[in-house]
Amino acid sequence: MRDALAASRSTLTSLPGLGTVLAVKILGRIGDVSRFPTQHQFASYTGSAPLDASSGRKCATGSTPEETGL
């Protein structure tokens, strides 16, 4: 796994609490991040983009309704 992570040139393990195993799982799930034309499309895919769920006078935002399994 370390060799595969090194070959990917990912910086995921620089995030606190994110080690080799989790980084490889994320990369395996996401694939080539360059397939997302914008950071907004990547955030939407991962479920980290806020969802506007406002209706009438009620204003609400939250994560996207579909779980991505990350």
Side-chain angles (χ1 to χ4, degrees):
M1 280 197 274
R2 287 188 185 122
D3 292 342
L5 185 60
S8 75
R9 301 175 53 103
S10 172
T11 58
L12 282 173
T13 54
S14 67
L15 297 169
L18 209 146
T20 301
V21 173
L22 186 55
V24 170
K25 286 182 78 167
I26 290 171
L27 290 173
R29 175 73 174 172
I30 300 287
D32 184 6
V33 74
S34 67
R35 68 188 175 110
F36 300 99
T38 68
Q39 64 188 17
H40 303 290
Q41 288 174 323
F42 177 74
S44 178
Y45 174 81
T46 62
S48 59
L51 175 67
D52 183 10
S54 301
S55 176
R57 293 184 188 183
K58 180 181 173 186
C59 294
T61 58
S63 60
T64 55
E66 295 181 32
E67 293 295 323
T68 60
L70 291 178

